[in-house]
Amino acid sequence: MHSARQHSILFIFLAIAFLLLFAVNISVGAVSVPIKDVVTSLTGNGASKSAWEYIVVNYRLPKAITAIIAGMGLSVSGLLMQTLFRNPLAGPDVLGLSSGASLGVAFIILGAGLLPASIAVTFLSPYGMVLASVFGSVVVLLAVLLVAQKLRDTMAILIVGLMFTSFTGAVVGVLTYFSSAEQLQKFTYWSLGSLGSLPAENIIILAVTCLIGLLLAAVCIKPLDALLLGERYAQSLGINFKRTRLIIILATSLLAGSITAFAGPIAFVGLAVPHMARLLFRTGSHLVLFWATLLLGGIVLLGCDTISQLPGEFTLPINAVTSIIGAPVVIWLLLRKNRMMV
């Protein structure tokens, strides 16, 4: 276990890496902008070329902010799930939360044609997308928790999560079968995941929703430490388990649901980043892990988004990049399972 001083040094290192990666992320793309001009544009001193300043302020800065919010939110939701289920393989995508959120969005995008035009417009608004996505993730999480009350075997719970993922995937398949070409194109583009092209209104809604989710998660930091040792131990310490579990459900559903609604289903970030934080900081304290997961989540998704822009002329789907990088990382983490702290 590292000392408090070592934790401080690691946090400083991560903060520097976060800032550097933030600048690099904004710099690369179809049009390369020098780091110096990125800094001057963001500080209001203007870039060497007006086109560069326009690209930085109006396109790449909102994209980088979205990547940071999504990375932080998914990573913290993964940390909450892994502690609540006391399972290192738990995460918003593995337990079916992302699939539930996707199903909610699928009903909105693919089923809007079955509704009256006035109602369809309301549901297709950013607020409607978030509500449907959060509702989908809440339903799936409550169903998994209900089954978890009956099944104490953690592997069985994960299998149930995979079954919910398969079930929601089948429902989405039925919806796509009866959808028009335009609806299919829109849903396929959304399912590939994208951090760009979000208007300011959507980014504000995403930021506010995730901030509420992160504040709820922060309230649970102390109970989370007790939950690591089991439900009964936590209750013996005076922890209200039912209330804590409800707060965790709300926090996770808000984070995973809102991010999925706007950025699409992003795999592996919620599963891998909490493990990276544990391996790096070598602690089970959630006061440390919460902030470490936040920083690492932002760094990881900024890094994946930077890689997705490297082809230059076009941008790779973010979900493909996180899966290509995340799958080997998770396999490597599983090989080090005996050294994990959960």
Side-chain angles (χ1 to χ4, degrees), residues 9-10 25 41 48 112 134 142 163 183 195 211 235 260 291:
I9 293 171
L10 284 171
N25 178 268
S41 297
S48 305
V134 170
L142 287 176
M163 291 302 101
Q183 288 171 322
L195 300 170
L211 180 61
Q235 288 176 333
T260 304
W291 296 107

Side-chain angles (χ1 to χ4, degrees), residues 5-336:
R5 182 172 176 274
Q6 289 173 312
H7 286 164
S8 300
I9 293 171
L10 284 171
F11 274 120
I12 292 171
F13 172 78
L14 288 179
I16 294 171
F18 177 84
L19 292 174
L20 287 174
L21 199 52
F22 178 71
V24 171
N25 178 268
I26 295 177
S27 173
V28 301
V31 176
S32 296
V33 180
I35 297 288
K36 179 184 174 183
D37 289 282
V38 171
V39 175
T40 54
S41 297
L42 295 180
T43 54
N45 295 319
S48 305
K49 298 180 180 178
S50 59
W52 286 352
E53 185 174 350
Y54 180 82
I55 292 171
V56 168
V57 174
N58 294 286
Y59 179 70
R60 293 187 183 169
L61 178 61
K63 193 166 182 272
I65 291 173
T66 306
I68 293 168
I69 295 172
M72 290 181 169
L74 289 174
S75 303
V76 169
S77 65
L79 177 66
L80 295 176
M81 288 294 90
Q82 287 168 14
T83 302
L84 178 63
F85 288 96
R86 289 194 297 153
N87 192 311
L89 296 179
D93 47 333
V94 176
L95 287 178
L97 267 69
S98 297
S99 299
S102 299
L103 180 60
V105 174
F107 272 121
I108 295 297
I109 295 178
L110 304 177
L114 302 174
L115 299 172
S118 57
I119 299 176
V121 169
T122 304
F123 276 107
L124 284 170
S125 70
Y127 297 100
M129 295 273 283
V130 170
L131 284 175
S133 185
V134 170
F135 180 75
S137 62
V138 167
V139 169
V140 171
L141 183 52
L142 287 176
V144 173
L145 280 171
L146 185 64
V147 175
Q149 295 295 318
K150 307 291 183 185
L151 299 173
R152 291 295 177 182
D153 182 19
T154 53
M155 189 56 70
I157 295 171
L158 288 178
I159 292 173
V160 169
L162 291 174
M163 291 302 101
F164 277 117
T165 301
S166 178
F167 175 77
T168 54
V171 176
V172 171
V174 172
L175 287 172
T176 54
Y177 183 79
F178 292 103
S179 300
S180 65
E182 184 183 356
Q183 288 171 322
L184 278 177
Q185 185 183 30
K186 188 176 181 181
F187 183 75
T188 302
Y189 181 75
W190 170 85
S191 63
L192 291 173
S194 175
L195 300 170
S197 306
L198 283 183
E201 181 190 7
N202 291 15
I203 295 176
I204 292 172
I205 295 171
L206 177 64
V208 171
T209 311
C210 286
L211 180 61
I212 296 171
L214 291 175
L215 288 174
L216 289 172
V219 170
C220 298
I221 285 177
K222 189 176 178 181
L224 284 172
D225 285 341
L227 282 177
L228 276 178
L229 300 173
E231 178 183 338
R232 291 183 179 177
Y233 180 81
Q235 288 176 333
S236 70
L237 292 178
I239 303 294
N240 188 327
F241 177 71
K242 289 184 178 178
R243 187 177 66 183
T244 302
R245 188 173 61 180
L246 178 62
I247 295 173
I248 290 174
I249 290 172
L250 286 174
T252 307
S253 301
L254 280 172
L255 292 170
S258 59
I259 292 166
T260 304
F262 289 120
I266 299 176
F268 290 105
V269 175
L271 174 62
V273 171
H275 291 302
M276 294 167 66
R278 290 189 188 94
L279 288 171
L280 191 60
F281 284 81
R282 297 183 182 280
T283 179
S285 169
H286 284 79
L287 183 60
V288 176
L289 288 176
F290 178 80
W291 296 107
T293 304
L294 268 182
L295 267 176
L296 278 170
I299 289 171
V300 167
L301 206 49
L302 274 176
C304 289
D305 185 52
T306 303
I307 293 171
S308 75
Q309 298 177 77
L310 288 181
E313 295 181 359
F314 54 90
T315 303
L316 297 172
I318 189 66
N319 201 19
V321 177
T322 56
S323 298
I324 290 171
I325 296 174
V329 170
V330 171
I331 293 171
W332 177 72
L333 289 170
L334 288 174
L335 292 175
R336 293 173 60 95

